[in-house]
Amino acid sequence: MQGFANFMWLLSLALIVFSGFALIDAAVRREDAYRAADKKTKPFWLIILGLAFVVNLIFNILSFLPIIGLIATIVYMVDVRPALQQVTGRGGRRGGSSSDGPYGPYNGGR
């Protein structure tokens, strides 16, 4: 039983860290990026992810409320975060220019 309790504690800790990362990530994004990505507003996601974080802190992992918070966090991380990164230009390749092609920078046929 002690091994199962340790596993559940680690799982609960991972869930808290995951929802905390999503909350911090949502907080540092620009407000206009949410509108440009055609997602809900920044306050909406801060409230949802904040509730998910608090629920993960208070309730046991075997309850249904942390599962709902996990689903909300996964939706943010899989759907909203990549759209925000694409709108702000932080997604995809690192260090590239907007004129880069698949084989390097486009130089205008020179």
Side-chain angles (χ1 to χ4, degrees):
M1 284 310 270
Q2 185 65 29
F4 180 73
N6 288 339
F7 173 74
M8 294 307 285
W9 182 82
L10 285 174
L11 191 61
S12 178
L13 182 65
L15 200 58
I16 291 168
V17 169
F18 185 55
S19 62
F21 173 78
L23 178 62
I24 291 170
D25 186 73
V28 298
R29 302 285 177 180
R30 295 187 342 229
E31 168 69 34
D32 59 339
Y34 287 87
R35 285 180 270 127
D38 199 28
K39 302 298 175 186
K40 297 285 186 185
T41 62
K42 182 176 182 175
F44 172 83
W45 282 108
L46 289 177
I47 290 169
I48 295 296
L49 295 172
L51 286 173
F53 182 73
V54 170
V55 162
N56 288 328
L57 283 175
I58 295 174
F59 291 99
N60 187 357
I61 188 83
L62 296 176
S63 174
F64 72 93
L65 288 176
I67 304 301
I68 294 172
L70 175 63
I71 292 169
T73 305
I74 289 172
V75 167
Y76 175 81
M77 294 297 287
V78 172
D79 183 40
V80 178
R81 186 172 186 252
L84 295 175
Q85 286 177 334
Q86 190 164 6
V87 165
T88 58
R90 290 192 228 164
R93 296 181 313 225
R94 301 276 185 220
S97 170
S98 63
S99 65
D100 282 357
Y103 305 110
Y106 177 69
N107 60 10
R110 292 179 262 176

